[in-house]
Amino acid sequence: QVHWVESGGDSVQAGGSLRLSCAAPEYTLTSYCVAWFRQAPGKEREGVAAIATANGRTFYDASVKGRFTISQNNAKNTMYLQMNSLTLDDTAQYYCAAMEADNCFTGSWALARGRSWGQGTQVNVSS
């Protein structure tokens, strides 16, 4: 299991931007699907974006498409989530999870069940 350390969460006004990071420096994730998830109070954890580390292909939930961008570093052990045009609905604890590469292409990357989680990073968007 990959142990992620998430960072970059902060409080920001609606319309603002944040860049989240999740690092696993002891790994090189050559061919995985890595996804960002979020969980708001009282809601289920949901997948928002994923990247196929082998070729960099990206996948997004409709709620964030066009606003969020997932990326990876050259070493393939740090993933980023650039979040623009933030809204109140983006307020949540954000997490990374790594899974088998096929998950990216079947759509199952967005399922939170059975994943291994780090401590997450909190994003608070205010009006």
Side-chain angles (χ1 to χ4, degrees), residues 36-113:
W36 279 96
F37 289 79
R38 67 184 179 188
Q39 187 166 20
K43 294 188 177 181
E44 293 187 355
R45 195 165 298 190
E46 61 178 1
V48 297
I51 186 166
T53 62
N55 60 16
R57 187 172 169 187
T58 57
F59 307 83
Y60 297 94
D61 182 78
S63 64
V64 305
K65 197 168 186 179
R67 301 188 297 120
F68 290 11
T69 302
I70 188 171
S71 61
Q72 60 182 338
N73 68 346
N74 289 338
K76 300 186 179 182
N77 57 14
T78 301
M79 306 296 153
Y80 306 99
L81 187 67
Q82 177 66 42
M83 306 189 297
N84 299 328
S85 302
L86 285 162
T87 72
L88 299 182
D89 288 341
D90 296 318
T91 293
Q93 187 85 351
Y94 284 72
Y95 304 86
C96 275
M99 57 203 82
E100 292 183 359
D102 285 354
N103 284 269
C104 270
F105 303 99
T106 63
S108 55
W109 64 265
L111 301 176
R113 188 173 175 179

Side-chain angles (χ1 to χ4, degrees), residues 10-23:
D10 205 345
S11 296
V12 63
Q13 287 193 321
S17 298
L18 282 175
R19 190 192 196 204
L20 307 184
S21 300
C22 62

Side-chain angles (χ1 to χ4, degrees), residues 107-121:
S108 55
W109 64 265
L111 301 176
R113 188 173 175 179
R115 310 296 183 202
S116 176
W117 306 108
Q119 85 288 350
T121 187

Side-chain angles (χ1 to χ4, degrees), residues 1-7 21-30 34 73-80 96 98 118-119:
Q1 291 180 342
V2 179
H3 297 283
W4 296 103
V5 177
E6 296 94 345
S7 63
S21 300
C22 62
E26 65 271 30
Y27 295 93
T28 299
L29 301 172
T30 303
V34 178
N73 68 346
N74 289 338
K76 300 186 179 182
N77 57 14
T78 301
M79 306 296 153
Y80 306 99
C96 275
Q119 85 288 350

